[in-house]
Amino acid sequence: MSYFEQLQTRSDAHIMRSYGPPKGAFVRGKGTVLFDGEDQPWLDFLCGLAVTSLGHAHPAVSKAIADQAELLVHTSNLYLTEPAIELAERLAKITGWDDASVFFAQCGATANEAAIKLARKHGKRIRDDKVRVVTLSGSFHGRTLATLEATGQPGKHEAFQPLAGFVDTVAHDDPDALRAAVTDETCAVLLEVVQGEGGVRPLDAEVVRAAREACDAHGALLIADEVQTGIGRTGPWFAFQDTDVVPDVLTVAKALANGMPIGACIAHGEAGRVFEPGDHATTFGGNPVTCAAANAVIDTIERERILTTARARGVRLSEGLQRFVGFVPFAIGVRGKGLLLGLELDRPVAAQVEAECRERFLLVNAIGGDLLRFAPPLTVSRQEVDQALKTVEEALRAVAETTA
Ligand SMILES: Cc1ncc(COP(=O)(O)O)c(C=O)c1O
């Protein structure tokens, strides 16, 4: 039995089957490369679902974790520790919000839960029934009950109905429908400026503008879910910074601590003063080890000017994929921003292409049947981009041969 098969057997025995069949097993990683049980290197263009943006085992992050773990691992939210305060200060700086106020959570869903609760409390201060949240079709906001309901993918709701019924979902490409859906009962519009899990889809600038205008007209908060797009994934620190709209609340998670579990709900202005003692809490919030990792992430990105090189790599990958269109089987378009990119296929063969990439030791992932998602680390090299492009081309041609 291979290492992978051994782990799979043990996993089948005792890990709940909420996930699909595993696609590999890894022991260690360095930069863009993962190593399996046989020490085979794999090129990782998915980076733990847009998480390990500085690459695997980044020395500055590993050192920050180890140093903090030797000092102090946990105290709870009853006491202050410096790494959390330092991280909140850094988040204030990179959002550009001097009065940013941060709630630390554990992941994207719990950051969004905090944002939704904050918005509902904001709404109820204005009128008792101002608790509805408007979201967009194709969005993904998490798997807790509130964030699941806010996720604009009805298929994911089915097994858990009835849900609470406080969400109105409108088409992601219809600014007028969005304006019409926001009423005096709306406490927030929740959106991803670039939809991730729903298919690597940048929202039209007019939709983002409509959301801001509708929120202003009805006293609702605009919440930008930057769980996937935040920390440089689409180019700037946050995707909203490439738009002419500023949200009231922003959520971030995934890449913030390069793989340590963390989430943050960041509010400013009046929204930053909504929560009062007792309104919201979590035992692990602001954990010093995860916050130390996040501080090292932001520090490294700033010191090594990684956002600039990442933008250049994004252009290289995007242009490389664009060259497939019309020349390589199935490829019909490229969408996304920065280093969050999708190759559109003309038929539902993305899972087969993903599998052919795996045969060639490249990790990418299929979304929705006809899209291949790329989310390599921001530190990916030119050579690695070129190598991945070559492998994807081979994989597309291999699938074309088998389906011919
Ligand atoms: C935009 C967005 N929001 C929220 C989430 C949920 O994050 P988590 O899985 O950390 O709970 C995700 C996860 O993919 C996401 O992409």
Side-chain angles (χ1 to χ4, degrees):
M1 258 208 272
S2 69
Y3 178 74
F4 171 60
E5 287 161 342
Q6 285 175 42
L7 284 199
Q8 191 168 15
T9 307
R10 288 167 60 194
S11 167
D12 284 349
H14 294 296
I15 304 268
M16 264 194 209
R17 297 186 186 191
S18 68
Y19 300 105
K23 296 173 176 177
F26 295 103
V27 176
R28 66 191 177 93
K30 192 76 205 147
T32 314
V33 181
L34 281 168
F35 296 86
D36 64 17
E38 281 74 39
D39 222 28
Q40 166 69 46
W42 296 60
L43 202 53
D44 185 2
F45 265 51
L46 192 54
C47 105
L49 296 168
V51 168
T52 51
S53 280
L54 294 185
H56 296 287
H58 190 283
V61 181
S62 300
K63 182 172 184 324
I65 294 169
D67 288 353
Q68 184 59 43
E70 285 200 351
L71 272 183
L72 182 66
V73 172
H74 176 79
T75 59
S76 90
N77 51 48
L78 298 181
Y79 311 102
L80 298 178
T81 56
E82 201 167 338
I85 297 167
E86 196 180 315
L87 179 55
E89 289 165 351
R90 283 175 198 269
L91 290 170
K93 185 171 159 224
I94 66 175
T95 50
W97 300 342
D98 290 345
D99 63 343
S101 183
V102 183
F103 177 86
F104 286 116
Q106 288 84 21
C107 61
T110 51
N112 283 334
E113 280 281 339
I116 291 169
K117 279 183 70 177
L118 186 156
R120 285 172 67 109
K121 182 159 187 220
H122 156 82
K124 283 174 80 70
R125 280 176 167 177
I126 299 168
R127 52 185 266 186
D128 208 44
D129 59 354
K130 193 173 179 60
V131 293
R132 303 197 66 76
V133 174
V134 172
T135 65
L136 303 184
S137 63
S139 59
F140 185 83
H141 297 295
R143 302 283 195 155
T144 61
L145 279 173
T147 59
L148 176 69
E149 185 173 351
T151 290
Q153 302 183 41
K156 291 190 165 57
H157 299 175
E158 262 161 38
F160 306 99
Q161 293 286 8
L163 296 174
F166 70 94
V167 174
D168 302 301
T169 304
V170 295
H172 60 76
D173 54 358
D174 187 343
D176 291 335
L178 176 51
R179 278 192 198 94
V182 178
T183 70
D184 287 344
E185 291 179 13
T186 306
C187 66
V189 174
L190 170 60
L191 54 75
E192 300 155 85
V193 174
V194 180
Q195 292 190 337
E197 302 304 303
V200 189
R201 204 182 293 279
L203 293 185
D204 202 86
E206 188 49 37
V207 171
V208 182
R209 233 173 276 133
R212 180 70 273 173
E213 284 163 14
C215 284
D216 291 344
H218 293 277
L221 298 179
L222 179 61
I223 308 172
D225 177 345
E226 297 248 15
V227 165
Q228 184 149 165
T229 50
I231 315 299
R233 171 69 34 206
T234 67
W237 283 108
F238 298 102
F240 87 83
Q241 290 165 334
D242 263 347
T243 74
D244 50 12
V245 160
V246 180
D248 303 293
V249 182
L250 179 156
T251 54
V252 59
K254 288 188 181 279
L256 178 56
N258 208 49
M260 294 294 279
I262 192 168
C265 167
I266 311 166
H268 67 131
E270 209 188 305
R273 295 185 289 274
V274 171
F275 277 156
E276 293 162 298
D279 280 341
H280 200 48
T282 178
T283 302
F284 291 117
N287 173 276
V289 179
T290 52
C291 290
N295 284 321
V297 167
I298 295 176
D299 192 41
T300 304
I301 292 177
E302 279 177 337
R303 204 182 46 247
E304 298 180 9
R305 299 181 199 285
I306 287 172
L307 297 188
T308 308
T309 43
R311 277 183 203 261
R313 296 297 177 272
V315 170
R316 191 178 187 93
L317 180 57
S318 171
E319 287 178 354
L321 293 171
Q322 203 75 54
R323 280 196 289 275
F324 291 175
V325 176
F327 291 97
V328 178
F330 315 127
I332 54 168
V334 180
R335 58 182 196 239
K337 285 197 83 178
L339 280 170
L340 180 59
L341 294 169
L343 179 66
E344 298 168 48
L345 308 178
D346 66 2
R347 65 198 75 181
V349 291
Q352 284 133 278
V353 180
E354 180 198 306
E356 286 292 343
C357 287
R358 275 203 308 279
E359 288 292 311
R360 293 161 177 80
F361 307 111
L362 170 69
L363 298 177
V364 292
N365 92 315
I367 303 186
D370 57 2
L371 191 89
L372 215 53
R373 173 172 52 171
F374 300 83
L378 305 184
T379 50
V380 68
S381 70
R382 285 189 202 91
Q383 292 82 346
E384 287 164 341
V385 168
D386 296 346
Q387 189 185 334
L389 284 166
K390 190 164 165 280
T391 305
V392 173
E393 180 173 351
E394 284 170 16
L396 286 160
R397 293 195 188 284
V399 174
E401 269 173 36
T402 55
T403 55

